[in-house]
Amino acid sequence: MAAAAAVGPGDSPEGPEADAPERRRKAHGMLKLYYGLSEGEATGHSAGPDPLDPTDLNGAHFDPEVYLDKLRRECPLAQLMDSETDMVRQIRALDSDMQTLVYENYNKFISATGIYTIRKMKNDFRKMEDEMDRLATNMAVITNFSARISATLQDRHERITKLAGVHALLRKLQFLFELPSRLTKCVELGAYGQAVRYQGRARAVLQQYQHLPSFRAIQDDCQVITARLAQQLRQRFREGCSGAPEQSECVELLLALGEPAEELCEEFLAHARGRLEEELSSLESELGPSPPAPDVLEFTDRGGSGFVGGLCQVAAAYQELFAAQGPAGAEKLAAFAQELGGRYFALVERRLAQEQGGSDNSLLVRALDRFHRRLRAPGALLAAAGLSESATEIVERVARERLSHHLQGLKAAFLSCLTDVRQALAAPRLAGKEGPSLAELLANVASSILSHIKASLASVHLFTAKEVSFSNKPYFRAYRKGLVVDLGFPPQGEFCSQGVREGLIVGFIRSMCQTAQSFCDSPGEKGGATPPALLLLLSRLCLDYETATISYILTLTDEQFLVQDQSPVTPVSTLCAEARETARRLLTHYVKVQGLVISQMLRKSVETRDWLSTLEPRTVRAVMKRVVEDTTAIDVQVGLLYEEGVRKAQSSDSSKRTFSVYSSSRQQGRYAPSYTPSAPMDTSLLSNIQKLFSERIDVFSPVEFNKVSVLTGIIKISLKTLLECVRLRTFGRFGLQQVQVDCHFLQLYLWRFVADEELVHLLLDEVVASAALRCPDPVPMEPSVVEVICERG
């Protein structure tokens, strides 16, 4: 049993266990034979399958879903796979049997089909031959009868034809004899068109037979009536009480009556001029000072429906009526349209000029679109008049004026931002309270300018919208993606690249840099009129524009207006270089201004003191404390906008160094031998020789964009001013000691602001040495005493 269970569905069992099922089947069959039962009765079921069983593959009610559900419920996986394999094998066997059956009987099918078809065709051809024979017999009979009828009616046909011709001639004669009365009746009823048609039908015949008295009389009567008809038509045309279609009809009838076309042409244009001038006068009255002018959209709608519509009707009617005039007539119409069109364009430009003050272009662009769209029809009818070209030129001029207006608006917005910054910087000092920081003011200015630029771009972008009729003109679309750049138009007239990008955006950026640089052009003493904080803020603004903002704005412009690289535009790198140069000039000017402020304090403190009779120093002068306080405030101010920068390594005794006339080897060389009044030339000579070998300090060296460089420049200017002022004074013993104390105090605090502390040491050494050279009794103060005074101060 275990061995049998271990055998898989694909294996063949061997041994006695494999014979057990066979023996059971034989025994079961013998029992059925003994009891006389069939297979179905032995199992308790009917002999045949149930015809309604949905799982019977051969039954009429077989349901695949039910069959599959039954297999999934009752059969294990192995049996399901066996069933699938068996079913695939049966399908392939059935397909093979069907193909074999078809191949074996193919010739029989073809033979049977061919015999049947040929037999049917023979029968059909026999019937067709019989029908064709009958048709030939019938046609022969019909031909015979037709010949007999034609022979019988030959004489009558000729007589009928003659009578029909006589009848038509009599009808024509009757029409001619009745023509005067018909014309008279039509004139009385106002049916002028019918009368002209009657006259046109009879004119050639009367002209041909006018030598006959009867026809001559008819012609004379018709001419009298026609003259009266022409007079009434002229009167009706000149009164002008009817509309344009009726007047065109009058001219058409007069031309049909043979009136001179040249005279009618002049009268037609004169009458049309009167109507169109009335429209122009109505438009001009709306531009007067007394009544309020309608909005520009309503104005262009009235002009388009009134004047332009009337001009289209006149042009179409003229070309239809006076086409025979040739080039001369076309030139008259073109001159007529040019004159009146020029007056209309002047009125439109006057009305458009009143819209130049606003900032919203939506209504203006809609009005220009309708104005340009309305002139398409007369432009096509009157190509020689150049109306479409003139309308396009007006639209282009308005677009240029709007670009100029937006540029002025951006400049005004920038100046307004600077005014707000000035007020914000001045308000805290006046009120005595803390105001917004420079970083906040910078962010406000940058965001305000950027928002104005985006608003201006969005406003002028309306001129290039796809739904606008003039947006496909070369001025607006010469460099659009997918189009050939070399279209024969001058590149400087292109709206997107030269107008928006170069004229508006690049022009504003350069104007902003020039405005910022104007704060650096003022002379030294007047430089104080500009707050130093404003200079610092503008320098940082220009630097931010150089690093990111210019590239962002120009990329945004190029994407919105599809400016191509082939356009002659200003590179981004050029604008960035200009902005960086502006930022450098502003920062350098800031350093000079702040250095000048501190220098003024130091100069006045030196010049207003009597250094020969001063008392022994007991404290640091207040001006030195003020210098340190102002320098610290400048350090905080610059640190709000600029990074720290790089400093040289600081020595460990930077804050402990004490200045004296012997504090350096250079000064020891000067004064170590002896100091007596008899040797001033020797000490001066030693000082000058020492300066030749000392490091030169460039006071006005270029300023870098960091806090350390800015503070270094300010301190160099301040200490250099102190040095030059000291050189102009004479000091007593206590004056020299006071300078020694002041320089030591400055050294204690200023070294931490500069990039290299040695620079402060060198300048302060120069100050103390210069004071010592100008002192008759150079007795320095003890370093310990100097330190005590500075610490106490």
Side-chain angles (χ1 to χ4, degrees):
M1 297 288 292
V7 178
D11 301 334
S12 58
E14 297 180 358
E17 289 79 6
D19 298 332
E22 186 65 26
R23 288 196 298 269
R24 285 197 296 271
R25 285 196 297 271
K26 290 182 179 180
H28 188 62
M30 294 173 65
L31 288 172
K32 287 194 294 181
L33 291 174
Y34 177 76
Y35 288 103
L37 298 175
S38 64
E39 178 72 16
E41 292 174 344
T43 58
H45 298 285
S46 60
D50 186 4
L52 301 178
D53 185 8
T55 61
D56 184 12
L57 286 172
N58 299 323
H61 298 278
F62 173 71
D63 190 345
E65 297 295 333
V66 177
Y67 180 73
L68 290 175
D69 290 340
K70 180 180 178 183
L71 288 179
R72 283 195 295 267
R73 287 195 310 268
E74 297 178 358
C75 301
L77 180 60
Q79 188 174 352
L80 285 174
M81 295 176 65
D82 293 342
S83 299
E84 180 189 11
T85 303
D86 183 59
M87 189 172 296
V88 170
R89 181 182 55 78
Q90 292 180 10
I91 291 172
R92 291 176 178 173
L94 288 174
D95 290 342
S96 178
D97 293 342
M98 185 177 296
Q99 291 178 2
T100 303
L101 180 63
V102 172
Y103 291 156
E104 290 178 351
N105 297 282
Y106 180 74
N107 292 330
K108 297 179 181 179
F109 293 154
I110 294 301
S111 299
T113 304
I115 294 172
Y116 173 75
T117 304
I118 293 171
R119 185 180 300 150
K120 187 175 180 182
M121 288 176 63
K122 288 181 179 179
N123 294 333
D124 292 340
F125 274 113
R126 289 195 189 98
K127 294 179 180 178
M128 190 179 298
E129 288 177 357
D130 296 338
E131 292 178 359
M132 290 296 294
D133 292 339
R134 288 196 297 272
L135 179 61
T137 303
N138 293 335
M139 288 299 296
V141 174
I142 292 172
T143 303
N144 188 18
F145 276 109
S146 176
R148 290 166 60 188
I149 292 172
S150 298
T152 303
L153 298 178
Q154 181 66 32
D155 297 336
R156 296 181 181 179
H157 182 268
E158 293 177 357
R159 290 197 299 271
I160 291 173
T161 302
K162 291 180 181 179
L163 291 175
V166 172
H167 181 265
L169 180 59
L170 291 175
R171 290 185 60 185
K172 292 178 181 180
L173 291 174
Q174 182 182 4
F175 173 79
L176 290 176
F177 286 115
E178 294 177 354
L179 181 59
S181 60
R182 290 191 179 190
L183 291 177
T184 303
K185 188 174 182 181
C186 288
V187 171
E188 292 175 354
L189 296 177
Y192 303 121
Q194 186 67 32
V196 172
R197 285 192 291 273
Y198 286 159
Q199 174 66 17
R201 288 172 57 185
R203 181 184 295 118
V205 176
L206 294 176
Q207 188 71 22
Q208 183 179 359
Y209 297 102
Q210 62 180 348
H211 59 281
L212 300 177
S214 58
F215 287 94
R216 181 66 181 178
I218 295 173
Q219 185 180 20
D220 294 339
D221 294 341
C222 291
Q223 287 178 352
V224 173
I225 299 171
T226 301
R228 188 169 68 250
L229 173 61
Q231 184 179 2
Q232 292 184 6
L233 288 175
R234 282 183 177 275
Q235 184 66 26
R236 184 183 178 190
F237 174 72
R238 290 169 181 170
E239 288 176 355
C241 57
S242 56
E246 289 79 5
Q247 292 180 349
S248 299
E249 182 183 1
C250 290
V251 174
E252 183 180 4
L253 295 177
L254 288 171
L255 289 172
L257 291 176
E259 294 293 318
E262 185 71 20
E263 182 180 349
L264 290 176
C265 174
E266 296 293 339
E267 292 184 6
F268 179 81
L269 290 180
H271 187 78
R273 181 187 298 275
R275 294 203 317 270
L276 294 177
E277 285 180 347
E278 291 178 1
E279 296 289 344
L280 293 176
S281 300
S282 176
L283 292 175
E284 189 173 7
S285 64
E286 295 179 357
L287 298 177
S290 53
D295 62 58
V296 64
L297 186 62
E298 182 179 355
F299 182 85
T300 53
D301 280 342
R302 290 182 183 177
S305 60
F307 175 80
V308 179
L311 184 62
C312 286
Q313 292 180 356
V314 170
Y318 184 93
Q319 292 178 351
E320 182 180 356
L321 295 173
F322 303 104
Q325 294 294 311
E331 290 178 1
K332 285 184 180 180
L333 180 61
F336 171 83
Q338 282 180 349
E339 179 186 353
L340 295 179
R343 293 174 56 184
Y344 173 67
F345 291 149
L347 294 176
V348 171
E349 288 193 279
R350 283 176 55 189
R351 183 62 187 88
L352 292 173
Q354 300 176 6
E355 297 293 321
Q356 297 301 318
S359 59
D360 186 12
N361 288 340
S362 58
L363 189 64
L364 179 62
V365 171
R366 289 174 59 195
L368 290 174
D369 176 43
R370 295 192 184 180
F371 165 73
H372 188 271
R373 198 183 299 272
R374 286 279 191 175
L375 284 166
R376 282 181 175 178
L381 288 172
L382 304 168
L387 298 179
S388 296
E389 292 77 5
S390 299
T392 303
E393 290 176 0
I394 291 176
V395 174
E396 292 176 2
R397 282 198 295 270
V398 172
R400 294 190 189 97
E401 291 173 357
R402 293 307 297 172
L403 289 174
S404 176
H405 171 76
H406 282 287
L407 177 59
Q408 297 302 322
L410 290 177
K411 293 180 180 179
F414 178 63
L415 295 177
S416 176
C417 290
L418 296 185
T419 303
D420 295 340
V421 171
R422 283 176 175 268
Q423 294 176 353
L425 293 175
R429 293 197 299 268
L430 297 176
K433 59 182 180 181
E434 190 69 22
S437 65
L438 284 180
E440 294 175 352
L441 292 175
L442 176 64
N444 293 338
V445 171
S447 62
S448 177
I449 294 175
L450 190 59
S451 63
H452 279 88
I453 290 175
K454 290 182 177 179
S456 298
L457 288 177
S459 184
V460 298
H461 191 262
L462 296 173
F463 284 93
T464 62
K466 293 182 180 179
E467 61 272 11
V468 177
S469 61
F470 53 80
S471 63
N472 58 349
K473 294 298 178 181
Y475 175 72
F476 295 96
R477 280 291 186 266
Y479 296 108
R480 191 174 182 179
K481 287 183 178 179
L483 294 181
V484 180
V485 175
D486 189 10
L487 298 179
F489 302 103
Q492 62 272 16
E494 208 279 326
F495 177 78
C496 297
S497 64
Q498 301 301 316
V500 178
R501 190 187 191 276
E502 294 298 302
L504 181 60
I505 302 303
V506 176
F508 169 68
I509 293 174
R510 284 178 168 166
S511 172
M512 186 180 70
C513 293
Q514 292 173 0
T515 303
Q517 288 184 15
S518 65
F519 293 108
C520 305
D521 297 335
S522 57
E525 292 297 331
K526 296 181 180 179
T530 302
L534 179 61
L535 296 173
L536 187 65
L537 184 144
L538 287 175
S539 69
R540 184 66 209 192
L541 178 66
C542 292
L543 186 63
D544 290 342
Y545 265 68
E546 184 264 337
T547 55
T549 308
I550 289 178
S551 177
Y552 169 74
I553 293 174
L554 292 182
T555 301
L556 179 66
T557 304
D558 294 345
E559 290 177 353
Q560 286 189 2
F561 292 89
L562 305 175
V563 179
Q564 299 296 294
D565 297 336
Q566 295 89 345
S567 306
V569 296
T570 304
V572 177
S573 58
T574 302
L575 284 180
C576 291
E578 294 178 7
R580 187 175 184 86
E581 177 62 20
T582 303
R584 186 195 61 77
R585 289 190 60 185
L586 287 166
L587 196 59
T588 302
H589 191 62
Y590 173 79
V591 170
K592 292 180 180 179
V593 170
Q594 294 289 46
L596 179 62
V597 172
I598 298 177
S599 298
Q600 291 290 343
M601 290 191 299
L602 293 173
R603 182 175 65 85
K604 290 180 181 179
S605 69
V606 174
E607 293 177 351
T608 58
R609 190 178 183 92
D610 186 5
W611 293 99
L612 289 174
S613 59
T614 185
L615 300 177
E616 185 178 359
R618 291 290 181 263
T619 183
V620 180
R621 290 189 300 153
V623 66
M624 299 301 168
K625 297 178 182 179
R626 177 67 183 276
V627 168
V628 173
E629 291 175 358
D630 288 355
T631 305
T632 305
I634 293 172
D635 180 77
V636 173
Q637 188 181 69
V638 177
L640 293 174
L641 299 181
Y642 284 98
E643 293 76 15
E644 181 69 22
V646 180
R647 301 177 187 271
K648 288 187 177 181
Q650 308 294 335
S651 62
S652 59
D653 59 344
S654 298
S655 61
K656 299 297 184 181
R657 179 171 177 173
T658 305
F659 289 92
S660 69
V661 292
Y662 307 110
S663 60
S664 65
S665 60
R666 178 179 59 198
Q667 286 130 4
Q668 289 173 2
R670 294 175 187 167
Y671 304 110
S674 65
Y675 180 78
T676 60
S678 62
M681 293 299 296
D682 296 337
T683 56
S684 177
L685 180 60
L686 291 173
S687 176
N688 292 331
I689 293 174
Q690 186 64 33
K691 287 181 181 179
L692 293 175
F693 297 96
S694 64
E695 182 181 356
R696 181 179 179 273
I697 298 175
D698 188 2
V699 178
F700 297 101
S701 60
V703 182
E704 299 179 1
F705 296 105
N706 57 70
K707 185 176 72 173
V708 172
S709 179
V710 173
L711 268 296
T712 300
I714 295 173
I715 291 173
K716 284 193 298 183
I717 294 174
S718 304
L719 296 183
K720 184 65 174 177
T721 302
L722 177 62
L723 175 61
E724 297 300 327
C725 291
V726 167
R727 287 176 176 173
L728 298 176
R729 307 294 292 178
T730 303
F731 297 86
R733 177 191 298 179
F734 296 139
L736 173 61
Q737 293 177 0
Q738 184 66 59
V739 171
Q740 185 182 358
V741 171
D742 292 343
C743 289
H744 181 70
F745 181 80
L746 291 177
Q747 186 272 332
L748 287 177
Y749 294 98
L750 295 185
W751 67 270
R752 66 194 67 191
F753 297 119
V754 297
D756 186 5
E757 64 182 64
E758 286 298 323
L759 183 135
V760 177
H761 296 159
L762 290 174
L763 289 173
L764 292 176
D765 281 347
E766 288 286 342
V767 172
V768 177
S770 296
L773 285 174
R774 289 156 181 81
C775 178
D777 186 16
V779 178
M781 184 177 285
E782 292 294 329
S784 59
V785 179
V786 173
E787 292 179 1
V788 171
I789 293 176
C790 290
E791 290 176 358
R792 186 175 58 195

